[in-house]
PDB file of all heavy atoms in Angstrom:
ATOM      1  N   ALA A  99     -11.373  -8.163  -4.622  1.00 86.00           N
ATOM      2  CA  ALA A  99     -12.012  -6.855  -4.807  1.00 86.00           C
ATOM      3  C   ALA A  99     -12.732  -6.414  -3.543  1.00 86.00           C
ATOM      4  O   ALA A  99     -12.630  -5.246  -3.126  1.00 86.00           O
ATOM      5  CB  ALA A  99     -12.975  -6.910  -5.983  1.00 86.00           C
ATOM      6  N   ARG A 109     -14.969  -1.991  -7.266  1.00 80.00           N
ATOM      7  CA  ARG A 109     -14.887  -3.450  -7.291  1.00 80.00           C
ATOM      8  C   ARG A 109     -15.272  -3.994  -8.665  1.00 80.00           C
ATOM      9  O   ARG A 109     -14.608  -4.884  -9.210  1.00 80.00           O
ATOM     10  CB  ARG A 109     -15.796  -4.040  -6.219  1.00 80.00           C
ATOM     11  CG  ARG A 109     -15.379  -3.708  -4.797  1.00 80.00           C
ATOM     12  CD  ARG A 109     -16.504  -4.008  -3.839  1.00 80.00           C
ATOM     13  NE  ARG A 109     -16.173  -3.633  -2.476  1.00 80.00           N
ATOM     14  CZ  ARG A 109     -17.073  -3.374  -1.535  1.00 80.00           C
ATOM     15  NH1 ARG A 109     -18.362  -3.463  -1.832  1.00 80.00           N
ATOM     16  NH2 ARG A 109     -16.695  -3.039  -0.327  1.00 80.00           N
ATOM     17  N   VAL A 131      12.568 -14.595  -1.425  1.00 69.00           N
ATOM     18  CA  VAL A 131      14.001 -14.402  -1.638  1.00 69.00           C
ATOM     19  C   VAL A 131      14.639 -13.731  -0.436  1.00 69.00           C
ATOM     20  O   VAL A 131      15.642 -14.209   0.113  1.00 69.00           O
ATOM     21  CB  VAL A 131      14.243 -13.588  -2.917  1.00 69.00           C
ATOM     22  CG1 VAL A 131      15.729 -13.311  -3.098  1.00 69.00           C
ATOM     23  CG2 VAL A 131      13.695 -14.330  -4.123  1.00 69.00           C
ATOM     24  N   TRP A 169      23.380   1.242   2.744  1.00 93.00           N
ATOM     25  CA  TRP A 169      22.506   0.124   2.380  1.00 93.00           C
ATOM     26  C   TRP A 169      21.796  -0.481   3.582  1.00 93.00           C
ATOM     27  O   TRP A 169      20.762  -1.111   3.444  1.00 93.00           O
ATOM     28  CB  TRP A 169      23.324  -0.958   1.669  1.00 93.00           C
ATOM     29  CG  TRP A 169      24.321  -1.670   2.543  1.00 93.00           C
ATOM     30  CD1 TRP A 169      24.082  -2.725   3.369  1.00 93.00           C
ATOM     31  CD2 TRP A 169      25.706  -1.360   2.682  1.00 93.00           C
ATOM     32  NE1 TRP A 169      25.231  -3.110   4.025  1.00 93.00           N
ATOM     33  CE2 TRP A 169      26.257  -2.284   3.615  1.00 93.00           C
ATOM     34  CE3 TRP A 169      26.553  -0.412   2.108  1.00 93.00           C
ATOM     35  CZ2 TRP A 169      27.585  -2.273   3.992  1.00 93.00           C
ATOM     36  CZ3 TRP A 169      27.890  -0.403   2.475  1.00 93.00           C
ATOM     37  CH2 TRP A 169      28.395  -1.331   3.398  1.00 93.00           C
ATOM     38  N   ALA A 217      11.560   4.992   6.055  1.00 97.00           N
ATOM     39  CA  ALA A 217      11.081   5.807   7.170  1.00 97.00           C
ATOM     40  C   ALA A 217      11.297   5.104   8.500  1.00 97.00           C
ATOM     41  O   ALA A 217      11.584   5.749   9.514  1.00 97.00           O
ATOM     42  CB  ALA A 217       9.597   6.131   6.990  1.00 97.00           C
ATOM     43  N   VAL A 222      14.260   5.318  13.622  1.00 96.00           N
ATOM     44  CA  VAL A 222      15.121   4.768  14.673  1.00 96.00           C
ATOM     45  C   VAL A 222      16.360   5.645  14.859  1.00 96.00           C
ATOM     46  O   VAL A 222      16.762   5.947  15.987  1.00 96.00           O
ATOM     47  CB  VAL A 222      15.530   3.324  14.331  1.00 96.00           C
ATOM     48  CG1 VAL A 222      16.563   2.803  15.327  1.00 96.00           C
ATOM     49  CG2 VAL A 222      14.300   2.423  14.336  1.00 96.00           C
ATOM     50  N   ILE A 261     -14.344  -6.984  11.061  1.00 59.00           N
ATOM     51  CA  ILE A 261     -13.302  -7.923  10.647  1.00 59.00           C
ATOM     52  C   ILE A 261     -11.944  -7.253  10.670  1.00 59.00           C
ATOM     53  O   ILE A 261     -10.955  -7.805  11.176  1.00 59.00           O
ATOM     54  CB  ILE A 261     -13.615  -8.480   9.249  1.00 59.00           C
ATOM     55  CG1 ILE A 261     -14.849  -9.391   9.313  1.00 59.00           C
ATOM     56  CG2 ILE A 261     -12.416  -9.245   8.689  1.00 59.00           C
ATOM     57  CD1 ILE A 261     -15.311  -9.880   7.960  1.00 59.00           C
ATOM     58  N   PHE A 273       3.517  -5.623  17.810  1.00 89.00           N
ATOM     59  CA  PHE A 273       4.091  -4.351  18.246  1.00 89.00           C
ATOM     60  C   PHE A 273       4.398  -4.383  19.738  1.00 89.00           C
ATOM     61  O   PHE A 273       5.445  -3.895  20.184  1.00 89.00           O
ATOM     62  CB  PHE A 273       3.123  -3.208  17.935  1.00 89.00           C
ATOM     63  CG  PHE A 273       3.632  -1.865  18.372  1.00 89.00           C
ATOM     64  CD1 PHE A 273       4.670  -1.244  17.704  1.00 89.00           C
ATOM     65  CD2 PHE A 273       3.069  -1.224  19.473  1.00 89.00           C
ATOM     66  CE1 PHE A 273       5.144  -0.007  18.107  1.00 89.00           C
ATOM     67  CE2 PHE A 273       3.534   0.006  19.890  1.00 89.00           C
ATOM     68  CZ  PHE A 273       4.575   0.619  19.205  1.00 89.00           C
ATOM     69  N   ALA A 276       7.564  -6.150  20.298  1.00 90.00           N
ATOM     70  CA  ALA A 276       8.719  -5.336  19.931  1.00 90.00           C
ATOM     71  C   ALA A 276       9.069  -4.339  21.028  1.00 90.00           C
ATOM     72  O   ALA A 276      10.254  -4.112  21.327  1.00 90.00           O
ATOM     73  CB  ALA A 276       8.441  -4.612  18.617  1.00 90.00           C
ATOM     74  N   MET A 295      10.800   1.621  16.899  1.00 95.00           N
ATOM     75  CA  MET A 295      10.418   2.854  16.214  1.00 95.00           C
ATOM     76  C   MET A 295      10.184   2.648  14.726  1.00 95.00           C
ATOM     77  O   MET A 295       9.478   3.436  14.087  1.00 95.00           O
ATOM     78  CB  MET A 295      11.498   3.919  16.427  1.00 95.00           C
ATOM     79  CG  MET A 295      11.602   4.438  17.853  1.00 95.00           C
ATOM     80  SD  MET A 295      10.041   5.130  18.453  1.00 95.00           S
ATOM     81  CE  MET A 295       9.779   6.461  17.280  1.00 95.00           C
ATOM     82  N   ASN A 314      -6.898   6.431  -4.334  1.00 76.00           N
ATOM     83  CA  ASN A 314      -7.011   6.857  -5.719  1.00 76.00           C
ATOM     84  C   ASN A 314      -6.739   5.686  -6.656  1.00 76.00           C
ATOM     85  O   ASN A 314      -5.757   5.656  -7.401  1.00 76.00           O
ATOM     86  CB  ASN A 314      -6.039   8.008  -5.993  1.00 76.00           C
ATOM     87  CG  ASN A 314      -6.422   9.262  -5.254  1.00 76.00           C
ATOM     88  OD1 ASN A 314      -7.333   9.961  -5.645  1.00 76.00           O
ATOM     89  ND2 ASN A 314      -5.738   9.539  -4.153  1.00 76.00           N
TER      90      ASN A 314
END
Side-chain angles (χ1 to χ4, degrees):
R109 295 165 183 157
V131 177
W169 68 84
V222 173
I261 291 174
F273 179 72
M295 291 303 299
N314 292 283

